[in-house]
Amino acid sequence: MLRLLASSSARGLVARVGVRPAAGLCPPGHSPSRWASDVPRNQPPSSEFVARSVGVCSMMRLPLQVSPEGLDAAFVGVPLDIGTSNRPGARYGPRRIREESVLLRAVNPSTGAVPFQSLMVADLGDVNVNLYNLQDSCRLIREAYQKIVAAGCVPLTLGGDHTITYPILQAVAKQHGPVGLLHVDAHTDTADKALGEKLYHGTPFRRCVDEGLLDCKRVVQIGIRGSAMTLDPYRYNRSQGFRVVLAEDCWMKSLVPLMAEVRQQMGGKPMYLSFDIDALDPAYAPGTGTPEIAGLTPSQALEIIRGCQGLNMVGCDLVEVSPPYDLSGNTALLAANLLFEMLCALPKVTAV
């Protein structure tokens, strides 16, 4: 029933085959067209007709597809955590996020977004990373995403540690040129090196700057906090033109005004959203590798993502979910919902 692609010969992706919900999943008396609400695009199955425990585990129970051809957007897993510096386990993030996404539905009543009536969406499975070689994993990720973005498909990534954003942005920038970046995180991830290595989850955006992948005047980092090794840990970022918004400047307030400023700064040019789950306070998202106290709230996370509506978002990711530290599943549940919100904020999604 499933077909796994060989790691070297199939675009660097391990994916499973699927195109539309199978007619065999429809209950007696219900046609496939009714089950899909008569919309000629992929749809998450309704729990009115199909039990949530039925089917292969995919993001939002969407069809699993090998190729990005014909897709407007796709969920992609990158199960890598060998770039992490503290608690491991993010390699299991994509699988756990998919499991928690079973509760998600097709429409966003809060924003009026109807993504599955606007876009053809599927789950492309996971990039076949090399867990013994971080540099090779970055190559595999970059090659896989080059094919995705070249097909005109917007990737929504399930991480994985934050190292993965570097090769993803290599692929995105090759297609779109230097992009703006909205980076939501507890950490700036602009260190130069650690233990003599220039590539790990604390350095992806430093490497992106080095390679000219970012339009640095359109980089905004939100939620930054925590102890540091110097009294001015954000000097490098600000010297590059980044806007750094500390978590303490977000406490006890709505971020809607901030996002109005971000939209103006990003303009209509391509931008990328990278969301580290540790941007949120560990009271809400304990299942992560480098938690920092006094972070953002889930409602602020929604304000940030919903504030991206109208922007030319060409890709996004949700990283650093570590299921071994997420005993209740709440972190993965939150991540799944934030990914759905990202899908709803894509530029081609209509709102009613």
Side-chain angles (χ1 to χ4, degrees):
M1 188 172 179
L2 301 183
R3 180 157 60 93
L4 299 181
L5 297 180
S7 62
S8 61
S9 63
R11 320 166 205 265
L13 286 174
V14 173
R16 291 155 285 187
V17 176
V19 286
R20 295 288 179 86
L25 291 180
C26 296
H30 296 282
S31 68
S33 61
R34 177 182 173 184
W35 184 77
S37 303
D38 295 321
V39 176
R41 295 185 177 90
N42 295 334
Q43 293 279 313
S46 170
S47 59
E48 181 181 357
F49 304 131
V50 181
R52 288 194 169 97
S53 57
V54 170
V56 176
C57 185
S58 67
M59 187 65 183
M60 296 186 68
R61 299 187 293 165
L62 286 163
L64 292 153
Q65 188 163 312
V66 172
S67 170
E69 297 296 334
L71 297 179
D72 299 301
F75 293 102
V76 188
V78 186
L80 181 76
D81 66 357
I82 58 173
T84 195
S85 61
N86 193 39
R87 305 192 308 198
R91 69 181 66 181
Y92 303 113
R95 184 176 301 176
R96 193 72 180 95
I97 293 169
R98 286 183 173 108
E99 291 175 355
E100 292 297 339
S101 74
V102 70
L103 189 60
L104 292 171
R105 304 166 185 90
V107 176
N108 191 332
S110 297
T111 65
V114 283
F116 301 104
Q117 292 184 21
S118 308
L119 307 175
M120 178 65 83
V121 188
D123 189 326
L124 288 178
D126 293 333
V127 175
N128 186 24
V129 296
N130 182 348
L131 291 178
Y132 308 118
N133 188 318
L134 189 55
Q135 291 280 359
D136 191 45
S137 286
C138 287
R139 176 187 64 81
L140 291 166
I141 296 165
R142 180 178 64 253
E143 292 176 355
Y145 276 77
Q146 283 173 349
K147 292 178 171 64
I148 293 170
V149 297
C153 177
V154 177
L156 300 102
T157 301
L158 293 64
D161 75 55
H162 222 151
T163 313
I164 70 175
T165 305
Y166 164 56
I168 293 172
L169 283 173
Q170 286 180 314
V172 169
K174 182 178 181 180
Q175 182 74 17
H176 298 284
V179 296
L181 174 69
L182 177 56
H183 173 209
V184 189
D185 202 325
H187 314 97
T188 63
D189 293 351
T190 51
D192 188 32
K193 60 184 177 180
L195 302 178
E197 298 295 327
K198 296 179 76 69
L199 186 59
Y200 79 107
H201 74 165
T203 65
F205 301 114
R206 183 75 162 244
R207 302 287 79 85
C208 288
V209 171
D210 291 345
E211 296 183 19
L213 308 179
L214 300 177
D215 179 355
C216 292
K217 298 301 182 183
R218 294 192 302 124
V219 174
V220 180
Q221 299 180 302
I222 301 176
I224 309 301
R225 63 190 190 278
S227 55
M229 299 301 294
T230 69
L231 287 174
D232 189 9
Y234 316 122
R235 178 184 302 174
Y236 169 84
N237 306 63
R238 288 170 173 149
S239 72
Q240 300 301 314
F242 294 8
R243 179 178 182 180
V244 180
V245 181
L246 302 182
E248 59 201 69
D249 295 326
C250 301
W251 291 346
M252 308 300 290
K253 66 177 66 171
S254 168
L255 300 188
V256 170
L258 171 63
M259 288 309 299
E261 297 173 5
V262 170
R263 284 196 302 277
Q264 184 175 12
Q265 183 174 351
M266 293 294 170
K269 297 179 181 179
M271 57 82 64
Y272 186 92
L273 170 61
S274 186
F275 200 115
D276 188 325
I277 201 68
D278 71 22
L280 299 177
D281 191 274
Y284 306 107
T288 191
T290 49
E292 304 281 0
I293 67 165
L296 304 179
T297 67
S299 58
Q300 289 176 317
L302 292 182
E303 288 178 325
I304 291 171
I305 297 172
R306 292 175 181 177
C308 291
Q309 287 180 311
L311 294 178
N312 185 12
M313 186 156 57
V314 295
C316 51
D317 62 51
L318 191 294
V319 299
E320 297 285 357
V321 172
S322 180
Y325 297 93
D326 188 30
L327 300 183
S328 69
N330 282 356
T331 309
L333 176 64
L334 180 53
N337 278 270
L338 295 182
L339 281 158
F340 172 66
E341 294 283 342
M342 292 178 192
L343 175 66
C344 292
L346 292 183
K348 292 183 180 180
V349 173
T350 58
V352 296

